[in-house]
Amino acid sequence: MKGGRKQRGHWEKEFGIKEPLLCAKCEGQFSTYESYFREYFYGNAPAPLVKQQVGDLVSGPKAGFRGMLECRSIKVNYCLLKLFVLSLVWRASVGKGKFFEAVSLGTKHEERLAEALRTENPGDEDDYAVGMIDLRHEGDGMVDLIDSPEVIRDEENQRLCRFVIGGFAFMVHIGAEGHRPSATTRVMSLKNDGSMVVLVVEGSPIMQQWANRLKRANAFPVIPP
C-alpha cells in the first residue's frame, strides 16, 4: 500500500489476520490440522502452493448450476479436516481485528467450538456441518485468494459461516444444538466416514464482488498521467 508501513506483518496485525490467541501447545495442535489440509490439497512441495487434483470426477458442468466446472468426490481424514475448519471458524468469531468483524457467533457457539478443539472431538457430521467449494479461474487454482469471513443464510434461513482461503470457499452450518442442517447443506457436507462432494466452481464472481466493493469505497488507485 503506497505510503503505508513496510515492516513485515504490520497489516496482518492491523486487520487481525495475526492476533495472539493460542498458547504454544494449542498452536502446535492447530498446526497438525493445517499441515494435513496443506498436504492433502496442495501436496508437500515447497511454496508457491499448487492445488492437487484430488478425488474422483463425479460429473462435468450441470445445466442450472451457474459457474460449476465439475464435481468431485473425495475421501479425507474426517477428524483432521473438520478440526482444521472448526479452528478457522472459532478464530473468526473470537478475533477482534477488522478482518473478522462480520462474524460473531456468540458465547455459546464459541465455547462449544473451543471444547471441540480442546478435546479434539469434531462431533457428528451434522454438528457444524462443513462444505467446500474449489474455486478456479481460467485453469488457475486461485490459491492466493482470501476473503473476510461472513455469516450468510441458506434457503431455509439457517446461518452459515462462509470464508474463502487458499482458493477454497468453506461453508459451516451454525445452528442451534440438535438442529440439523438443510437438505442442500447435508448433501454437500463432510460425512463421518470422510467422504465429501466438492464442487469445482468458476471463481470470477468473487473477484467481481471485490471490484464492486472497491468501486463503492472509491478505493481504486489514481494513476497519474
Side-chain angles (χ1 to χ4, degrees):
M1 302 177 77
K2 186 175 180 180
R5 302 187 191 185
K6 299 187 185 302
Q7 64 264 37
R8 184 174 178 84
H10 169 75
W11 292 111
E12 289 92 335
K13 294 174 183 177
E14 178 72 16
F15 285 92
I17 297 173
K18 289 186 177 180
E19 182 178 346
L21 291 175
L22 304 171
C23 66
K25 180 181 178 182
C26 289
E27 185 67 49
Q29 181 180 321
F30 283 19
S31 179
T32 300
Y33 314 147
E34 292 160 3
S35 295
Y36 174 77
F37 175 77
R38 195 247 198 231
E39 291 183 11
Y40 186 90
F41 290 101
Y42 308 101
N44 55 14
L49 298 179
V50 178
K51 281 182 181 174
Q52 304 297 297
Q53 191 77 295
V54 298
D56 300 314
L57 183 65
V58 177
S59 65
K62 288 185 178 180
F65 197 101
R66 203 179 101 190
M68 178 177 161
L69 303 175
E70 62 184 38
C71 182
R72 304 190 72 86
S73 174
I74 67 173
K75 192 70 176 285
V76 300
N77 183 306
Y78 173 82
C79 183
L80 291 179
L81 180 60
K82 188 163 183 180
L83 289 174
F84 166 72
V85 177
L86 295 186
S87 75
L88 297 179
V89 176
W90 174 79
R91 281 181 281 194
S93 187
V94 302
K96 305 302 181 187
K98 298 175 186 177
F99 191 76
F100 303 109
E101 63 186 3
V103 177
S104 181
L105 303 181
T107 302
K108 187 173 182 179
H109 282 296
E110 290 174 1
E111 289 179 348
R112 285 181 63 195
L113 289 166
E115 180 64 15
L117 293 165
R118 271 195 298 267
T119 59
E120 297 193 275
N121 178 9
D124 185 71
E125 62 188 47
D126 285 343
D127 297 329
Y128 300 107
V130 171
M132 278 181 69
I133 292 176
D134 182 350
L135 300 170
R136 306 269 177 162
H137 180 62
E138 297 180 352
D140 183 76
M142 305 177 72
V143 296
D144 294 326
L145 187 63
I146 182 171
D147 198 7
S148 300
E150 60 182 346
V151 174
I152 60 175
R153 297 279 178 173
D154 66 11
E155 72 278 4
E156 294 184 6
N157 202 35
Q158 297 191 49
R159 289 195 300 170
L160 298 173
C161 181
R162 171 191 172 276
F163 53 95
V164 176
I165 186 171
F168 290 97
F170 293 89
M171 276 72 62
V172 182
H173 176 253
I174 310 294
E177 193 169 0
H179 194 148
R180 297 182 76 190
S182 69
T184 302
T185 299
R186 295 189 76 242
V187 166
M188 301 299 302
S189 64
L190 175 63
K191 301 297 186 289
N192 289 327
D193 64 0
S195 62
M196 180 165 55
V197 174
V198 176
L199 298 185
V200 183
V201 172
E202 170 58 47
S204 57
I206 290 180
M207 293 189 289
Q208 185 62 54
Q209 290 173 14
W210 282 4
N212 291 339
R213 290 206 300 257
L214 287 168
K215 186 175 181 180
R216 287 195 297 269
N218 196 26
F220 285 119
V222 177
I223 302 174

